[in-house]
Amino acid sequence: MKNVSINDIAGALHVSKTTVSLVLNNKGDALGISKRTQSRILKLAKKLNYQPNKIAKGLILGKTETIGVVLADISNVFYSKIARAIEDSLSHREYQVLFLSSDEDPAKEKKGIEILKHRIVDGFIISTTQLNKNIILQLQEENYPFVLIDRHFPDIHTNSVIVDNRGGALAATEHLITMGHNKIAHLTLSTHLYAIQQRIAGYRQALEAHRIAFSPDWIQDIPYTNAKKRMMIALKTLISIKGMTALFFANNRLTILALQCLQDMKINVPNDVAIASFDDVDTFKVTHPSITAVEQPLEAIGKYAVDILIEEINNSGKMNPKKQVILPTKLIIRQSSRKYPVTADS
Amino acid sequence: MKNVSINDIAGALHVSKTTVSLVLNNKGDALGISKRTQSRILKLAKKLNYQPNKIAKGLILGKTETIGVVLADISNVFYSKIARAIEDSLSHREYQVLFLSSDEDPAKEKKGIEILKHRIVDGFIISTTQLNKNIILQLQEENYPFVLIDRHFPDIHTNSVIVDNRGGALAATEHLITMGHNKIAHLTLSTHLYAIQQRIAGYRQALEAHRIAFSPDWIQDIPYTNAKKRMMIALKTLISIKGMTALFFANNRLTILALQCLQDMKINVPNDVAIASFDDVDTFKVTHPSITAVEQPLEAIGKYAVDILIEEINNSGKMNPKKQVILPTKLIIRQSSRKYPVTADS
DNA sequence: TTGAAAGCGTTACCAT
DNA sequence: ATGGTAACGCTTTCAA
């Protein structure tokens, strides 16, 4: 269980640990350590399977080559795909990733960030709950490297990588309009997340652009608690009472929930009602019908976030200009938004 | 950006850092530090928002309160759910989690474990690729705390938390038999993962128990590459040529792939062929028809793994008896395995 | 071409 | 009741 240290190598070879450290960090040539000494050290290090103690290195260097990733919930496909993209981009640079799920709870978010901050991570990638602006402001003030993903504060100038939520919602809604619908409802979340608000804005923008009369009750919030029951009621109201012929959902969770409800209610998609969703997930390819959705570039989000973060970490000290990137989404048209009449296939 | 250290507090209060350390670690009373000194220190620490430097602590204590989790792919629902369960159990104990995706690549697995081993994590939870027994044996030999999940080596006595793969496959296959089928094929992976072999064993056991004549070509391997094409061929052969009326899939990925193929081939489930799958995923609830599946207790896997690991870390030094837990699965019966004739709904 | 020593922030031992 | 100092394993001057 004992690990080989730089001292062990130095002792065995009768050289100083300085020499060993230098050689192992490829500074041998620059500092003019003899080829012979270098190769002896290198050889022994390999033989003993020497691995530097990252903790000790971290202490002196003030860097751990570890970054903290704070997400709402790692078990949600959306985040786990981003997580994977982040992990991949980072591992190419020999960085490690610490994950933290905030569960949309600002207290958990704060606690997690504080624990990691104190020198265990070199920086953060955060999908903020947006419920605790202070913690973000504080990081910013302390000049702690971080980048916000998926969600950001429109009024704080931080590094951020988000998608064009408004554009995506606009495209989906316009597609529904193109398919002949003019009674299109929007099912969304009761939240103040800026990203969700932008989706509402995109939806409304599409209706306006096509001069479709709109009434505020076309938009229904589904709360987190009692979601299924509330969804049932909302669907019934929108479809049976208000005569909506198309539904646009703010995220994949809502859509999947609605699909179950619609099946229970014997309402056929897309014959009785057409559907489009924000967030493309694999499930949407195998449902019947398959679901038209706004795809978010998850790998790109992860990649950009890492690039920006690493650059900031490497330039720490210097005041880096904050970068904001907004990535385009892509509308994937499937069966759920087909024009009817539709011939049923199995 | 400068962090408060124990020295800053000691300096400001004109006490030694020993005293500060003692007080901050709640050893003040035991060591008889005066109440007054204690409260002065505590107050200032709070005021300056002192946070101990975990790295320094890690160096001297040889513990980082961080554990490494090595999974095949964090973006796979199966693993991300386990990951979440692990994270939750661990966060209650103030532990952090480092994730690593191995991509079923033994080289990545080895490299990842080696990087983390050298003092950055206190222990591991590993879903091994099973392709590199050495790395596991080495951990065992070094008495490094770890527990294997999902997959294990039947011939090495390590800590492990797995599910009853054979039992799950047996139950699913028997269910299909009960539904009146006696030509049941098994679609599996070309792999030597023990867990997958056990599923095959369970499937065969069910057939034998019911004295159903079986031929080896009822079992088809689908390789990773060219999966869709290979699946098409396998399905065609099994259903059209060999007249199979039911299919049992070794995991959710295969089932989802098959669902797409069957849709393309205009083969109706469950009218033309019945289906059951190992691995329950959310998708299976919203497909049409919904899919009968063997549910694995993912949260329990995570929880048990953490319990065992933490206990081992806390008792490090002592030789702990290795624990193996085998968790039961649960068959969730849905529409895909219904007896025909079936009246189409929706 | 190499080595000695200081220092990173903490804990722990031994004094006083 | 409190302080001095070594130690954890490493990097980095500075000196030789």
Side-chain angles (χ1 to χ4, degrees), chain A residues 156-196:
Chain A
I156 315 183
H157 194 67
T158 64
N159 288 316
S160 64
V161 180
I162 57 173
V163 303
D164 180 8
N165 287 291
R166 174 193 286 262
L170 176 68
T173 312
E174 286 207 309
H175 165 68
L176 257 10
I177 295 172
T178 309
M179 293 319 250
H181 297 278
N182 57 16
K183 302 207 79 174
I184 305 171
H186 182 41
L187 285 285
T188 185
L189 304 163
S190 18
T191 173
H192 288 91
L193 284 177
Y194 182 72
I196 299 296

Side-chain angles (χ1 to χ4, degrees), chain A residues 209-226:
Chain A
H210 291 263
R211 311 211 172 277
I212 293 177
F214 159 86
S215 138
D217 59 7
W218 287 19
I219 297 180
Q220 294 267 338
D221 287 357
I222 309 293
Y224 271 89
T225 51
N226 248 329

Side-chain angles (χ1 to χ4, degrees), chain B residues 33-309:
Chain B
I33 307 280
S34 71
K35 286 287 173 213
R36 187 166 156 278
T37 312
Q38 289 202 42
S39 78
R40 286 171 66 215
I41 292 173
L42 256 13
K43 193 177 288 177
L44 186 60
K46 177 154 275 176
K47 185 179 156 209
L48 298 178
N49 190 25
Y50 168 78
Q51 297 280 355
N53 181 323
K54 295 247 182 191
I55 296 296
K57 215 163 165 172
L59 221 207
I60 192 153
L61 260 26
K63 294 225 178 301
T64 57
E65 305 206 308
T66 301
I67 75 122
V69 175
V70 183
L71 303 168
D73 177 5
I74 188 82
S75 74
N76 175 322
V77 231
F78 177 77
Y79 291 112
S80 71
K81 293 236 160 142
I82 293 183
R84 183 58 206 274
I86 292 176
E87 189 200 335
D88 282 349
S89 299
L90 241 21
S91 70
H92 293 138
R93 315 174 198 233
E94 310 279 315
Y95 265 74
Q96 248 47 60
V97 206
L98 266 167
F99 284 108
L100 228 57
S101 297
S102 71
D103 267 327
E104 306 288 1
D105 174 354
K108 270 185 101 169
E109 177 181 35
K110 176 157 193 257
K111 189 176 166 218
I113 291 178
E114 280 190 338
I115 289 176
L116 296 190
K117 226 177 62 178
H118 291 276
R119 305 281 34 135
I120 240 183
V121 298
D122 297 345
F124 286 104
I125 292 178
I126 306 170
S127 170
T128 175
T129 62
Q130 267 191 238
L131 293 171
N132 196 337
K133 201 187 277 195
N134 279 340
I135 183 82
I136 302 298
L137 281 173
Q138 200 185 330
L139 284 176
Q140 181 96 321
E141 210 167 277
E142 292 171 353
N143 203 20
Y144 208 103
F146 74 98
V147 11
L148 261 24
I149 56 170
D150 181 36
R151 297 114 174 244
H152 74 150
F153 293 95
D155 54 338
I156 315 184
H157 194 66
T158 64
N159 288 315
S160 64
V161 181
I162 57 173
V163 303
D164 180 8
N165 288 291
R166 175 194 285 260
L170 176 68
T173 312
E174 286 208 308
H175 165 68
L176 256 11
I177 295 172
T178 309
M179 293 319 248
H181 297 278
N182 57 16
K183 302 207 78 174
I184 305 171
H186 182 41
L187 286 285
T188 185
L189 304 162
S190 18
T191 172
H192 287 91
L193 285 177
Y194 182 71
I196 299 296
Q197 296 307 316
Q198 286 299 99
R199 292 176 196 174
I200 295 177
Y203 155 78
R204 295 206 48 180
Q205 187 179 336
L207 297 184
E208 272 161 36
H210 292 264
R211 311 210 173 279
I212 292 178
F214 158 87
S215 136
D217 59 6
W218 286 20
I219 297 180
Q220 294 267 337
D221 289 357
I222 309 294
Y224 271 90
T225 51
N226 249 329
K228 180 144 189 181
K229 196 175 155 198
R230 303 293 292 267
M231 176 63 87
M232 279 288 206
I233 297 173
L235 291 173
K236 209 161 286 177
T237 315
L238 256 13
I239 301 172
S240 315
I241 303 180
K242 302 196 198 299
M244 297 288 150
T245 64
L247 308 172
F248 171 50
F249 294 90
N251 71 14
N252 75 66
R253 232 197 68 247
L254 287 175
T255 308
I256 289 175
L257 182 62
L259 246 25
Q260 292 173 305
C261 294
L262 291 169
Q263 209 162 328
D264 290 356
M265 297 158 77
K266 311 273 183 214
I267 292 178
N268 184 277
V269 181
N271 292 359
D272 300 330
V273 69
I275 277 184
S277 176
F278 213 96
D279 272 2
D280 189 30
V281 291
D282 287 344
T283 302
F284 288 169
K285 296 180 199 161
V286 290
T287 49
H288 183 85
S290 54
I291 307 294
T292 293
V294 177
E295 181 190 74
Q296 303 196 49
L298 305 181
E299 326 69 38
I301 294 176
K303 201 185 159 318
Y304 277 101
V306 167
D307 287 349
I308 295 174
L309 183 61

Side-chain angles (χ1 to χ4, degrees), chain A residues 143-155:
Chain A
N143 203 20
Y144 208 104
F146 74 98
V147 11
L148 260 27
I149 57 170
D150 181 35
R151 297 112 173 244
H152 74 150
F153 293 94
D155 55 337

Side-chain angles (χ1 to χ4, degrees), chain A residues 16 18-19 31-34 37 60:
Chain A
S16 80
T18 309
T19 312
L31 279 268
I33 308 279
S34 71
T37 311
I60 193 155

Side-chain angles (χ1 to χ4, degrees), chain A residues 77-89 149 161 163 280 282 295-307 327-328, chain B residues 75:
Chain A
V77 230
F78 178 77
Y79 291 112
S80 70
K81 293 237 161 143
I82 293 183
R84 183 59 206 274
I86 291 175
E87 191 201 333
D88 282 349
S89 299
I149 57 170
V161 180
V163 303
D280 190 29
D282 287 343
E295 180 190 75
Q296 304 195 50
L298 305 181
E299 326 69 40
I301 294 176
K303 201 187 158 317
Y304 276 102
V306 167
D307 286 350
L327 267 11
Chain B
S75 74

